[in-house]
Each structure stands twice: as structure tokens, then as C-alpha cells.
């Protein structure tokens, strides 16, 4: 018999061998009793043992003949199952399609099964959710990541990013933001902060201003007026910014007016809005921005791979487990959804089964036909052979008692 891989198969094989040995032991006992009856000339025991041996051997022959040739001899009408497996497969397929795939029977079975309830209970169990999550993070996600071409994803992200930028009216958004800012005290604070930064930068770049002035004055001035000009420019700018710091100054009012006018123009001028949008699009086409966007996918991919390596501590895995459990719990507590799922299964599954009943029967038949003769013989013997050994045992015992009955009837009549 071919090796059995699974634990259940091993258990069945061990049970079958034990029953075969037991049946053989009963037949051996009949042989011993036969020898005793001859030696001691016990008539009734001889009749019992002779009939028991005949019954046991006959039933052994009948059972073995189902699965193979007894003693390897090609006796006609033996090895019935392997020699007739194609017919058996066809009859089995026809029997299943004609007797089981009937609308009335299927409707009752599907109704009783309560697929939605069982599925919801199964999914809401953490160990089952963990099993699905393990399958996803160990096989599905890595498989998807391997099949994806990085360049295609990066190009897709870039195209979608640019398309989304084209859809957004940045000018209008900026106008809304500035308008909201102008109606709060934050505008005054923002302008004050900007002026403070300008003052600091002006102080830090005083020498730079002097150098620029020196570079801009004619050579023949010999630098005599450079210091005065530079100081004049510096002091003028400093005083201008210092005055603008006061919220009630004329310069501050002009700045506020300019901001309001800019907001109004940005709100009402499609041309200005388009200029703002063009600036944003132009910025998006810069090499640094394109490289940054292209690197997003690599970062995402690396982050996923790093997280999956954490196994039970993986955030992705734990999130999937939580989602599966919550999905099962939500279905279980929703009678309407349970009913819809069961109705869907009942209608669609029933329709599929009835529509393909002939194909299902043919599939069973073709599957049996594709099996090796020895394989199908071993499969069936493993499943039913243990019970068949009781026929051998019963044949030996019952045969013995029948022989004993005949013996007594014969002596009563004669």
C-alpha cells in the first residue's frame, strides 16, 4: 500500500491492519479446532471448524476480490474496483447529480446550514482571524510586492500627483486662506514677525550692503562716499521697517491695504489664479520634487517589509486581525445583514449548483477516471476495509454455527 502522509491516514492504516490480523486470528482458531477435532475424533467440533474455515476463507476471497486479485492470481471477476473504476466514477457522478443536486433538497440544506452565522462566528474568533492574517502577510502581501514593478508605481504616483495638482485651484485656496487670516489678529502678528525677521537680517547683513554699494559706485569716487551711501541705505531701510512695526503707522496701513487688494484680485482674477497655479505646477516639475515623489513608493515598500518582519508585533498584521474580527462581530450582531448574506448564498449558490449539476457529475467521474487503479483501490480499502473485516469474522463464526446446525440435523434425521 502506498505511504500515507497525513496523521488521519496513518491512524486508518493502523486500524485496518489490526482488524485484518484479528480476522486472520479467528480463521486460524478455526484451523486449530479442525486439527483438534481430527486428532480426538470429535464429530461436532469437526463440523463446526470445517464450516467456519469455509465461511472465513470464502468471505476473505470475496473482500480481497473487491480490491485486487487474491494471492495475485488473475482470477476472472476479481479486482472489481480497479478494473471497473471508470464505470464506478461515472455512476457515482450520475448518482450525486441526480440524487443530491435537487432543488428541493438543496434549499432545505442551505437553509439549515446558516452560512452567514457560521462564517461570522468563525471570523470573529481571534485564532481564525490570526490564521487569515498570517496567510495575507506571509503569502499575499509579499507576493504582490514582488510582482509590482517599482518604475511603474513611481510613474503612476507622479502622473496622479500632477493630475491632482491640475484639478486644484491653488489661487482660490490661497485667497481663502489669506482672507481668513486678514479677519483675525494673526495677520498683524504675522506681519510683525516678518518685519522682526527683516530687521534681524538687515543687522546681520550690514557689511554685505556696504560691499554691494562699493561694487556699484564708480571707480573714480575712490570709495569716499561709499560708507555714507551704505549707512544711508541701511538707516533708511531700518527706519522704514521700524515704523512699519507699529500697527497704527501709515506704512502698516498701506501693507494691510495691499494685502486686502491682493486677496480681492486673487479672488476675482482668473489670470492671477492661473499664474499662481502655473507656479505650483512649475515647482512640481523640478528635479528635486520629482525625485522626492518617486522615493515615496520605495519608502512605503520598505516600511511594509520592515513591519511584516516583526511577525506577531506587526502593526499591519494586528490591524488585519482587528478588521477581520470586527467584520465578523458586526455581521453577527446584524440580523438584517445575516439574512441578506444567507439569501444571497441560497439564491446564487443554488443557481450555480443546479446550473452546473451535470458538470459536477462529470467532474466527479473524470476525477475518479484520472486516479491510478492501485490508488483508488487503496483509498477505498483504507476507508471501508476496517468494517469489511467484520464480514470475515462473522463469516467464520456464523459458518461454524451453520456447520454445527447441519451436523445435529443430520444426526437427528439419521
Amino acid at each position: 500500500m502506498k505511504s500515507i502522509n497525513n496523521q488521519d491516514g496513518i491512524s486508518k492504516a493502523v486500524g485496518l491492519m489490526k482488524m485484518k490480523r484479528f480476522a486472520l486470528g479467528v480463521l486460524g482458531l478455526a484451523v486449530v479446532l479442525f486439527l483438534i477435532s481430527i486428532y480426538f475424533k470429535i464429530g461436532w467440533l469437526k463440523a463446526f471448524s470445517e464450516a467456519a474455515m469455509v465461511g472465513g476463507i470464502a468471505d476473505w476471497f470475496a473482500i480481497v476480490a473487491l480490491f485486487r486479485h487474491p494471492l495475485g492470481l488473475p482470477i476472472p471477476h476479481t479486482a472489481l474496483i480497479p478494473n471497473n473504476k471508470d464505470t464506478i466514477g461515472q455512476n457515482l457522478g450520475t448518482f450525486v447529480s441526480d440524487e443530491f443536486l435537487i432543488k428541493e433538497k438543496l434549499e432545505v440544506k442551505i437553509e439549515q446550514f446558516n452560512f452567514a452565522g457560521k462564517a461570522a462566528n468563525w471570523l470573529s474568533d481571534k485564532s481564525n482571524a490570526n490564521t487569515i492574517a498570517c496567510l495575507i502577510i506571509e503569502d499575499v502581501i509579499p507576493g504582490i510586492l514582488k510582482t509590482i514593478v517599482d518604475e511603474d508605481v513611481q510613474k503612476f504616483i507622479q502622473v496622479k500627483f500632477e493630475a491632482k495638482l491640475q484639478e486644484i485651484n491653488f489661487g482660490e485656496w490661497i485667497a481663502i486662506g489669506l482672507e481668513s487670516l486678514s479677519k483675525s489678529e494673526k495677520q498683524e502678528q504675522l506681519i510683525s514677525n516678518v518685519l522682526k525677521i527683516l530687521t534681524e537680517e538687515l543687522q546681520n547683513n550690514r557689511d554685505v550692503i556696504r560691499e554691494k554699494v562699493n561694487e556699484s559706485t564708480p571707480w573714480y569716487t575712490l570709495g569716499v562716499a561709499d560708507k555714507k551711501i551704505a549707512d544711508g541705505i541701511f538707516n533708511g531701510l531700518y527706519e522704514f521697517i521700524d515704523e512699519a512695526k507699529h500697527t497704527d503707522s501709515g506704512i502698516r496701513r498701506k501693507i494691510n491695504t495691499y494685502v486686502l487688494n491682493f486677496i480681492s484680485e486673487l479672488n476675482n482674477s482668473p489670470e492671477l489664479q492661473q499664474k499662481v497655479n502655473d507656479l505650483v505646477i512649475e515647482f512640481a516639475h523640478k528635479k528635486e520634487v520629482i525625485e522626492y515623489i518617486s522615493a515615496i513608493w520605495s519608502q512605503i515598500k520598505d516600511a511594509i517589509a520592515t513591519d511584516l518582519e516583526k511577525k506577531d508585533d506587526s502593526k499591519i498584521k494586528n490591524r488585519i486581525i482587528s478588521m477581520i474580527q470586527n467584520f465578523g462581530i458586526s455581521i453577527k450582531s446584524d440580523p438584517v445583514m445575516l439574512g441578506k448574506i444567507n439569501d444571497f448564498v441560497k439564491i446564487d449558490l443554488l443557481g450555480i449548483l443546479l446550473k452546473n449539476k451535470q458538470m459536477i457529475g462529470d467532474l466527479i467521474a473524470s476525477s475518479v477516471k484520472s486516479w491510478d487503479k492501485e490508488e483508488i483501490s487503496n483509498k477505498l480499502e483504507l476507508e471501508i476495509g476496517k468494517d469489511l473485516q467484520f464480514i470475515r469474522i462473522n463469516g467464520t463464526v456464523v459458518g461454524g454455527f451453520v456447520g454445527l446446525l447441519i451436523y445435529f440435523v443430520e444426526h437427528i434425521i439419521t
Side-chain angles (χ1 to χ4, degrees):
M1 184 176 291
K2 293 184 177 180
S3 60
I4 308 300
N5 295 323
N6 57 73
Q7 193 63 38
D8 183 56
I10 294 174
S11 177
K12 289 179 179 179
V14 170
L16 176 60
M17 291 305 298
K18 285 182 178 179
M19 287 304 301
K20 282 185 175 181
R21 291 193 188 101
F22 185 68
L24 183 61
V26 174
L27 180 59
L29 178 60
V31 174
V32 172
L33 293 176
F34 177 71
L35 295 175
I36 292 172
S37 68
I38 293 176
Y39 184 80
F40 291 102
K41 296 183 171 44
I42 305 173
W44 65 269
L45 185 58
K46 181 181 178 183
F48 175 87
S49 58
E50 281 180 339
M53 288 190 295
V54 171
I57 294 172
D59 286 340
W60 166 83
F61 182 91
I63 292 171
V64 172
L66 289 173
F67 304 105
R68 61 188 60 84
H69 296 298
L71 302 176
L73 301 174
I75 302 171
H77 304 294
T78 58
L80 298 177
I81 290 175
N83 288 337
N84 295 278
K85 72 179 184 68
D86 292 353
T87 304
I88 293 172
Q90 188 62 52
N91 292 338
L92 181 61
T94 302
F95 176 75
V96 171
S97 61
D98 290 347
E99 298 298 327
F100 289 95
L101 300 181
I102 300 174
K103 183 178 180 181
E104 293 74 15
K105 291 183 179 180
L106 289 173
E107 282 180 336
V108 173
K109 289 298 180 183
I110 294 174
E111 191 92 35
Q112 293 174 344
F113 186 71
N114 186 17
F115 174 83
K118 285 182 171 59
N121 287 329
W122 194 86
L123 291 173
S124 59
D125 184 87
K126 188 173 182 179
S127 62
N128 295 328
N130 182 69
T131 301
I132 299 175
C134 287
L135 176 65
I136 293 173
I137 69 167
E138 291 175 6
D139 297 323
V140 178
I141 295 178
I144 293 174
L145 293 178
K146 286 180 181 178
T147 56
I148 292 176
V149 180
D150 292 346
E151 291 76 10
D152 292 343
V153 177
Q154 291 168 351
K155 185 177 180 181
F156 175 81
I157 294 174
Q158 182 67 32
V159 170
K160 288 297 180 181
F161 177 71
E162 292 181 10
K164 186 57 67 176
L165 290 181
Q166 296 283 357
E167 295 174 2
I168 300 174
N169 189 338
F170 288 97
E172 187 176 358
W173 278 27
I174 293 173
I176 293 172
L178 291 175
E179 188 173 8
S180 175
L181 186 65
S182 66
K183 294 177 181 179
S184 66
E185 297 179 356
K186 291 183 179 180
Q187 177 184 326
E188 297 294 339
Q189 184 181 351
L190 177 63
I191 295 174
S192 297
N193 290 338
V194 172
L195 293 172
K196 181 181 178 182
I197 293 171
L198 289 175
T199 301
E200 293 174 355
E201 290 299 316
L202 191 61
Q203 290 282 10
N204 295 333
N205 292 280
R206 188 164 189 163
D207 293 337
V208 176
I209 294 174
R210 285 175 179 171
E211 290 178 5
K212 293 295 181 182
V213 171
N214 185 44
E215 292 173 359
S216 302
T217 55
W219 63 271
Y220 52 80
T221 62
L222 302 177
V224 175
D226 291 357
K227 185 176 183 305
K228 289 185 178 181
I229 295 173
D231 289 342
I233 293 173
F234 177 83
N235 292 333
L237 289 172
Y238 190 86
E239 290 173 3
F240 177 83
I241 295 172
D242 188 61
E243 183 181 352
K245 289 180 180 178
H246 301 286
T247 56
D248 57 348
S249 66
I251 296 175
R252 178 61 75 90
R253 287 194 294 271
K254 285 183 179 179
I255 292 175
N256 290 336
T257 301
Y258 174 78
V259 172
L260 292 173
N261 290 337
F262 179 74
I263 293 172
S264 177
E265 185 177 1
L266 197 56
N267 263 323
N268 301 305
S269 173
E271 293 81 6
L272 184 58
Q273 291 178 2
Q274 187 59 47
K275 287 182 180 179
V276 173
N277 291 339
D278 291 342
L279 285 173
V280 175
I281 298 299
E282 184 180 349
F283 173 77
H285 282 90
K286 287 185 176 295
K287 181 182 177 182
E288 296 81 3
V289 177
I290 294 175
E291 289 177 350
Y292 175 77
I293 294 173
S294 298
I296 291 176
W297 167 244
S298 297
Q299 294 172 3
I300 294 173
K301 191 174 180 180
D302 292 341
I304 293 174
T306 302
D307 182 78
L308 295 183
E309 289 175 356
K310 297 178 181 178
K311 301 297 181 182
D312 291 339
D313 294 328
S314 167
K315 292 181 179 179
I316 295 175
K317 178 183 177 181
N318 291 323
R319 183 59 182 163
I320 292 173
I321 292 174
S322 178
M323 289 172 59
I324 293 171
Q325 278 191 281
N326 291 335
F327 178 69
I329 292 170
S330 63
I331 293 178
K332 191 162 54 173
S333 59
D334 189 342
V336 176
M337 182 59 70
L338 286 171
K340 287 182 178 179
I341 294 175
N342 280 330
D343 287 343
F344 171 80
V345 171
K346 180 180 178 180
I347 295 171
D348 284 51
L349 181 60
L350 185 62
I352 292 171
L353 291 174
L354 293 177
K355 183 178 179 180
N356 298 283
K357 60 182 296 185
Q358 183 60 47
M359 186 182 71
I360 295 171
D362 293 341
L363 177 63
I364 295 173
S366 62
S367 297
V368 175
K369 287 180 181 179
S370 66
W371 290 347
D372 178 74
K373 288 184 177 183
E374 184 180 354
E375 180 184 5
I376 189 173
S377 178
N378 290 336
K379 282 179 181 291
L380 289 176
E381 185 176 16
L382 197 62
E383 295 299 327
I384 63 175
K386 182 179 178 181
D387 293 328
L388 291 178
Q389 301 311 308
F390 284 105
I391 296 176
R392 292 176 55 189
I393 296 169
N394 293 336
T396 304
V397 175
V398 173
F401 282 109
V402 170
L404 190 59
L405 178 62
I406 294 173
Y407 173 82
F408 284 120
V409 170
E410 181 182 357
H411 278 71
I412 291 172
I413 293 175
T414 58

